């Protein structure tokens, strides 16, 4: 395991946007990092049916018989996060493995997993980016009752879209700890005709807030929740200390699936010595393009599908670097072995998603204004001073004046098939990374004269700015608009709407 990158990281977040005054989210902005875009075998247990969640919202689905689902066990584990002689860190993991799982199915196949909770806290798993059936969305306290310690719940659904999605714990009031202890993963839904590549490599970024002795800093810190979130001081990729070392044959064509599963850290990523093409953003295919200045914004919850051809000569090197501090290398790529001689066509799009509309008709859209408030304050005359918060530690953030808590009613209701435009205003002192559940959306131009040429489910909104997103509300149920910085989610930064 590499040990060269155990140095502490800066505690201030690296936002995935510049200080440009324009609030127009453009494709050029995405390419350059200046947009509003932050954006299993195991031992079987008896199946336990969850109780009905409090408050409004769909009743939980009846779990399927245990024999029909593969177990996925969430429980205590240990990980070597600091070099010896420091002890291993007490973490949580799936199936006892430090490597986060990459769950793979083909488009059209079902996901059937019996999640067994052997942790000390209630748990539910959100399938971040999947346009899921509402009872399977995995928001504990809204779409299902949280899985109690010692209990289990079966997630059974068929993803409608191919793409790269995250598995993140999401329980109202209790998401930061299971995520900060290490629970995360990928769900990969493979295309029926995927692009021909030599290797398909998932790269999941997490960060950890460690104390000097290698243990995790206690959770529930109000100062974190009211400001930048629980920023880690050590980064891992695929559960291991960075950099992740990738070796492949000269001339190989690779597909890299990048995901940010950090509790709070937003950054930009840079590609050095590599010519990469973006083929998918937030799980949805797009026209392939090269990132402007070889960088991409990367807030929590964001995913990219990248295609690249490695150089034809041996010992060629490239790297993927997070722009944290002076730069943190997340992964290195080196060519070794016999070169690939197979002739391939140039890299191109991975295909369209025919289930998403060709255009979003805005003329008769339902329009709602959403304003985010709360959090710590930053003194204008002393910007270098620590942010200050003196309010209720459980209700730090609000959306349209209401704190997100279990039982809160939906903000609005729309009929299925209605186009919705949300004008989201960030009236806080911090950038906000936000995620729309159950749908994919377009970022609109300021005058509603168009939208950006990619679908998203996660984006980052700078402080003092307004962004408008548009989507077709074609998925029935109760869906969240929520912070992807989980300490903020736990302390009120979410709302919901109903599609009837």
């Amino acid at each position: 395991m590499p040990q060269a990158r155990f140095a502490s990281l800066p505690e201030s977040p690296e936002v995935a946007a510049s200080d440009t005054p324009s609030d127009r989210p453009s494709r050029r902005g995405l390419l350059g990092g200046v947009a509003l875009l932050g954006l299993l075998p195991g031992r079987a247990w008896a199946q336990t049916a969850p109780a009905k969640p409090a408050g409004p919202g769909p009743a939980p689905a009846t779990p399927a018989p245990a024999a029909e689902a593969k177990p996925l066990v969430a429980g205590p584990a240990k990980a070597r996060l600091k070099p010896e002689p420091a002890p291993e860190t007490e973490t949580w993991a799936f199936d006892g493995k430090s490597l986060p799982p990459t769950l793979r199915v083909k488009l059209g196949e079902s996901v059937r997993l019996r999640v067994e909770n052997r942790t000390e806290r209630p748990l539910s798993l959100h399938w971040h980016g999947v346009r899921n059936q509402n009872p399977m969305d995995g928001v504990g306290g809204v779409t299902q009752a949280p899985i109690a310690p010692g209990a289990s719940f079966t997630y059974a659904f068929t993803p409608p879209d191919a793409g790269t999605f995250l598995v993140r714990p999401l329980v109202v009031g209790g998401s930061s700890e299971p995520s900060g202890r290490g629970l995360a993963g990928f769900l990969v839904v493979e295309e029926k005709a995927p692009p021909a590549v030599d290797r398909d490599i998932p790269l999941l970024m997490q960060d950890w807030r460690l104390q000097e002795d290698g243990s995790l800093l206690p959770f529930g810190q109000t100062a974190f929740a009211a400001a930048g979130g629980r920023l880690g001081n050590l980064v891992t990729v695929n559960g291991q200390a960075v950099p992740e070392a990738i070796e492949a044959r000269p001339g190989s064509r690779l597909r890299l699936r990048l995901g940010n599963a950090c509790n709070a850290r937003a950054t930009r990523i840079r590609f050095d010595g590599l010519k990469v093409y973006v083929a998918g953003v937030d799980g949805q295919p797009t026209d392939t393009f090269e990132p402007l200045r070889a960088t991409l914004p990367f807030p929590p919850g964001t995913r990219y599908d990248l295609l690249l051809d490695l150089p034809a000569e041996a010992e060629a090197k490239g790297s993927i670097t997070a722009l944290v501090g002076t730069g943190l290398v997340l992964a290195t790529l080196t060519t070794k072995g016999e070169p690939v001689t197979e002739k391939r066509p140039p890299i191109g799009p991975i295909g369209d998603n025919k289930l998403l509309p060709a255009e979003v008709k805005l003329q008769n859209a339902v329009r709602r204004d959403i304003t985010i408030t709360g959090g710590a304050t930053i003194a204008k005359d002393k910007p270098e001073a620590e942010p200050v918060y003196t309010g209720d530690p459980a209700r730090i953030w609000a959306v349209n004046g209401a704190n997100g808590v279990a039982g809160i009613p939906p903000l609005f209701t729309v009929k299925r098939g209605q186009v919705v435009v949300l004008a989201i205003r960030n009236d806080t002192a911090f950038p906000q990374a936000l995620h729309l559940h159950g749908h994919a959306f377009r970022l609109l131009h300021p005058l509603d004269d168009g939208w950006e040429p990619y679908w998203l489910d996660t984006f980052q909104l700078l402080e003092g700015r307004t962004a408008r997103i548009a989507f077709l509300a074609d998925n029935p149920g109760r869906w969240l608009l929520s912070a992807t910085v989980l300490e903020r989610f736990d302390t009120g930064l979410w709302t919901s709407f109903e599609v009837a």
Side-chain angles (χ1 to χ4, degrees):
M1 177 188 306
Q3 296 183 354
R5 288 281 180 174
F6 283 106
S8 295
L9 296 179
E11 295 188 8
S12 59
E14 298 287 334
V15 298
S18 74
D19 293 328
T20 178
S22 171
D23 66 356
R24 175 173 178 167
S26 67
R27 181 175 186 184
R28 181 175 180 87
L30 173 67
L31 305 185
V34 296
L36 297 172
L37 168 68
L39 43 38
L40 310 169
R43 190 179 68 185
W45 274 22
Q47 182 70 43
T48 303
K52 184 177 179 180
T62 302
E68 298 182 10
K70 294 181 180 180
L72 183 65
V73 180
K78 291 184 177 182
R80 168 59 61 192
L81 297 178
K82 297 192 78 171
E84 295 180 296
E88 292 184 302
T89 301
E90 300 283 346
T91 65
W92 293 350
F94 289 115
D95 295 336
K97 300 175 181 177
S98 60
L99 175 66
T102 296
L103 311 171
R104 290 182 180 266
V105 295
K106 289 282 189 182
L107 182 63
E109 294 179 350
S110 294
V111 174
R112 301 189 68 84
L113 288 170
R114 186 178 71 256
V115 175
E116 301 170 2
N117 183 8
R118 299 184 190 174
T119 76
E120 302 171 352
R121 300 284 187 268
L123 184 66
S124 57
L125 297 184
H126 173 52
W127 309 90
H128 186 106
V130 177
R131 299 188 302 138
N132 216 331
Q133 302 167 15
N134 192 251
M136 297 288 107
D137 193 45
V139 184
V142 180
T143 64
Q144 68 173 88
I147 310 167
S152 62
F153 180 80
T154 293
Y155 291 96
F157 59 90
T158 302
D161 309 319
T164 303
F165 309 101
L166 291 181
V167 183
R168 298 191 89 193
L170 204 61
V171 179
V172 172
S175 301
S176 173
E177 182 169 359
S179 173
R181 290 189 180 275
L183 292 182
F186 274 122
L187 172 65
V188 170
V189 183
E190 298 176 346
E191 298 87 358
K192 291 185 177 180
V197 296
D198 296 292
R199 293 183 64 187
D200 184 323
I201 303 172
L203 296 171
L204 187 68
M205 184 176 80
Q206 297 169 275
D207 68 353
W208 309 75
R209 187 75 178 208
L210 300 180
Q211 302 186 98
E212 287 297 323
D213 63 358
S215 63
L216 289 167
L217 188 74
F219 291 83
Q221 304 281 343
T222 300
F224 292 162
R230 185 185 174 91
L231 292 164
N233 50 17
L234 183 140
V235 168
T236 59
V237 169
N238 294 345
Q240 301 292 321
V242 297
E244 173 91 347
I246 300 169
E247 294 183 356
R249 295 167 60 191
S252 293
R253 178 166 291 182
L254 305 182
R255 180 175 188 166
L256 304 180
R257 301 177 187 264
L258 274 62
N260 184 342
C262 296
N263 262 30
R265 185 172 294 279
T267 184
R268 294 190 300 273
I269 48 176
R270 185 183 68 218
F271 305 96
D272 299 311
L274 302 170
K275 187 174 183 179
V276 304
Y277 294 87
V278 178
V281 182
D282 283 356
Q284 299 296 343
T286 184
D287 289 339
T288 51
F289 60 87
E290 291 184 66
L292 186 66
R293 301 187 195 88
T295 64
L296 288 168
F298 203 39
T302 298
R303 295 93 61 212
Y304 292 108
D305 284 63
L306 307 174
L307 296 174
L308 68 153
D309 287 332
L310 293 180
E313 64 271 13
E315 300 299 330
K317 298 182 184 297
S319 62
I320 302 172
T321 300
L323 302 186
V324 178
T326 59
L328 182 70
V329 178
L330 301 178
T332 60
L333 292 88
T334 306
T335 56
K336 288 186 179 296
E338 292 296 319
V340 174
T341 57
E342 177 185 356
K343 298 295 183 182
R344 289 198 179 101
I347 289 175
I350 58 179
D352 296 327
N353 185 348
K354 301 297 185 183
L355 298 181
L356 294 174
E359 62 176 341
V360 182
K361 297 181 180 180
L362 304 178
Q363 295 87 343
N364 298 314
V366 171
R367 295 176 179 267
R368 293 290 184 270
D369 293 334
I370 291 179
T371 302
I372 300 169
T373 56
T377 57
I378 299 175
K380 293 183 179 180
D381 57 336
K382 296 181 180 179
E384 72 283 353
E386 290 292 325
V388 176
Y389 179 76
T390 58
D392 184 345
R395 301 191 176 201
I396 295 172
W397 307 91
V399 179
N400 284 11
N403 304 105
V405 295
I408 189 173
L411 193 63
F412 61 91
T413 299
V414 296
K415 292 182 179 180
R416 186 178 184 182
Q418 180 72 58
V419 171
V420 178
V421 174
L422 301 180
I424 307 171
R425 173 75 181 174
N426 179 7
D427 271 349
T428 76
F430 304 91
Q432 299 291 348
L434 303 170
H435 170 52
L436 183 70
H437 292 228
H439 299 80
F441 63 82
R442 297 283 201 182
L443 280 168
L444 297 183
H445 296 165
L447 300 178
D448 281 3
D449 59 352
W451 49 77
E452 298 311 315
Y454 36 75
W455 293 96
L456 303 170
D457 57 60
T458 300
F459 76 112
Q460 180 144 289
L461 180 60
L462 294 182
E463 58 273 33
R465 305 288 183 84
T466 299
R468 289 193 302 284
I469 68 173
F471 61 96
L472 179 66
D474 59 353
N475 199 354
R478 185 181 177 191
W479 303 103
L480 269 62
L481 175 69
S482 63
T484 66
V485 174
L486 295 181
E487 293 75 26
R488 296 175 184 169
F489 175 81
D490 286 347
T491 53
L493 212 168
W494 64 271
T495 189
S496 68
F497 61 96
E498 190 89 33
V499 180

